[in-house]
Amino acid sequence: MNLNQLYYFQKVAQLQHYHQAARELNISQPSLSRSISNLEEDLGVQLFKKNGRNIELTKYGKIFLEHVNRILEEVKIAEDKMRSFAASSGGHIDIGYVFPLAKSYIPHLVRSFLNREQNQGITFSLNQEITKDLIRALKTEKYDVIFGSKVPEETGIEFIPVVNQEMVIIVPPGHPLKYKKPLLLEDLTEYPVVGYDRTSGLGQYTNSIYRQNHMKPSIAFETSDENAIASLVAENFGIGFVAHVESLKEYNVNILHLDNVKPYHTVYMAYLKDHPMIPAVRKFIDFVLETIDRFY
């Protein structure tokens, strides 16, 4: 049984006449009759019976037609869906990104992309995760494009730098470091630190900075992102060494810039190398490359 046989069966069932059905299907009547006979043989039931010069469905043909109608409707839906993906003016893009980009960067980026008339038929799914989960989901094709930290060992993924975030110290109001000049990276070792989850991209990055500077801060808590760290710092659970993101301004903390070093954390756009890509995804990637640094 194949898809053509289902189309043929549906048309004969609708017209109840082989000759008319063959004409509409643009095939010969013998070919149509042979196709229906083969279908009946495969199924082991008679689908049609004669009714004068015409034919009509048997009891089993009526049951089969119900299923065939549903199958062919699903096929049409699937075809339309694939054509919308392939269309330059439509399609759907699945994006994953790290939490710090949720406040400003991703909303501004996607809105600016959709504001272009030729992109208004494109839709998005937006999801937040830590870098290691984003990488895993990208490789299983859950996401088309992700934004997070670079993972050098992932050679099958293209990483493109899009955002540079200054690393700053955040402290609760009245903390002694607010008044210290110069403010040094090493000053972190004098107080409990609320840090990133060590398995996250920023957790690995901050720990690499500590190792490079032969530092061993006292990590009081580890948590997922800047918002969680700032919440704990505001309640005097420790100080933080975090990426300078816009949402820090919403918390009761002081944002302090280092005087002796100026480390920056880079956020990357990433996608699978040499991987089939619908036009909408390609357009979005090109748009991001065109607008690097504009939205942050």
Side-chain angles (χ1 to χ4, degrees):
M1 183 171 62
N2 57 50
L3 196 56
N4 275 344
Q5 287 178 306
L6 299 185
Y7 282 118
Y8 295 167
F9 166 77
Q10 186 186 59
K11 182 58 68 176
V12 174
Q14 289 170 349
L15 299 177
Q16 298 185 26
H17 198 285
Y18 274 108
H19 181 69
Q20 293 177 14
R23 187 169 61 244
E24 288 202 16
L25 291 167
N26 198 28
I27 62 172
S28 68
Q29 184 172 330
S31 295
L32 178 58
S33 298
R34 186 165 52 253
S35 177
I36 296 299
S37 294
N38 290 338
L39 178 60
E40 290 177 324
E41 185 177 342
D42 287 344
L43 296 174
V45 296
Q46 186 176 340
L47 300 172
F48 296 99
K49 61 184 178 181
K50 289 187 176 181
N51 180 14
R53 291 190 173 185
N54 294 337
I55 57 173
E56 62 183 27
L57 289 165
T58 64
K59 169 185 176 181
Y60 308 106
K62 292 176 181 177
I63 295 171
F64 188 57
L65 180 61
E66 293 177 4
H67 292 282
V68 168
N69 286 341
R70 286 198 294 268
I71 290 168
L72 295 183
E73 179 61 25
E74 284 297 319
V75 170
K76 184 180 184 304
I77 291 171
E79 288 177 340
D80 291 344
K81 190 74 171 178
M82 293 306 104
R83 289 193 180 101
S84 74
F85 286 151
S88 60
S89 59
H92 184 82
I93 306 173
D94 293 302
I95 293 180
Y97 50 95
V98 291
F99 297 92
L101 303 184
K103 175 69 175 178
S104 175
Y105 180 78
I106 292 296
H108 290 178
L109 182 69
V110 172
R111 172 43 56 203
S112 297
F113 176 78
L114 292 176
N115 280 344
R116 293 190 174 182
E117 185 176 353
Q118 65 269 30
N119 299 333
Q120 290 176 4
I122 296 172
T123 57
F124 284 84
S125 292
L126 307 175
N127 296 276
Q128 301 173 43
E129 300 188 54
I130 62 175
T131 293
K132 67 174 183 177
D133 293 332
L134 291 173
I135 294 291
R136 185 183 304 115
L138 178 66
K139 291 163 71 174
T140 61
E141 300 183 75
K142 176 182 177 183
Y143 299 131
D144 299 303
V145 182
I146 62 171
F147 295 82
S149 298
K150 184 176 182 178
V151 182
E153 57 268 27
E154 294 289 353
T155 56
I157 297 176
E158 187 74 45
F159 290 92
I160 299 173
V162 292
V163 175
N164 283 317
Q165 302 168 320
E166 181 187 358
M167 299 298 295
V168 295
I169 293 176
I170 56 174
V171 299
H175 193 278
L177 284 185
K178 178 182 178 181
Y179 309 101
K180 185 176 185 301
K181 293 293 181 183
L183 181 64
L184 308 178
L185 179 65
E186 292 77 9
D187 292 328
L188 284 168
T189 60
E190 301 297 319
Y191 304 93
V193 173
V194 181
Y196 293 100
D197 180 340
R198 69 189 68 189
T199 65
S200 69
L202 269 162
Q204 295 176 34
Y205 176 65
T206 51
N207 284 330
S208 71
I209 292 176
Y210 300 150
R211 287 194 300 272
Q212 292 167 15
N213 290 275
H214 310 290
M215 295 167 51
K216 291 186 177 181
S218 174
I219 306 297
F221 296 93
E222 289 185 355
T223 190
S224 58
D225 59 83
E226 292 80 12
N227 294 326
I229 292 173
S231 295
L232 291 171
V233 170
E235 295 297 332
N236 206 24
F237 283 96
I239 64 175
F241 181 49
V242 298
H244 190 185
V245 297
E246 185 178 347
S247 60
L248 291 180
K249 300 174 185 176
E250 299 176 5
Y251 296 89
N252 189 24
V253 297
N254 295 123
I255 302 170
L256 311 178
H257 301 269
L258 293 166
D259 293 309
N260 62 334
V261 292
K262 292 288 184 183
Y264 282 82
H265 172 254
T266 301
V267 176
Y268 293 80
M269 173 176 67
Y271 52 89
L272 295 175
K273 293 180 180 177
D274 305 319
H275 192 73
M277 191 178 291
I278 63 173
V281 175
R282 182 73 262 173
K283 286 171 69 175
F284 180 70
I285 291 172
D286 290 342
F287 177 80
V288 175
L289 295 177
E290 174 190 334
T291 56
I292 285 175
D293 290 334
R294 188 186 302 177
F295 299 107
Y296 209 79

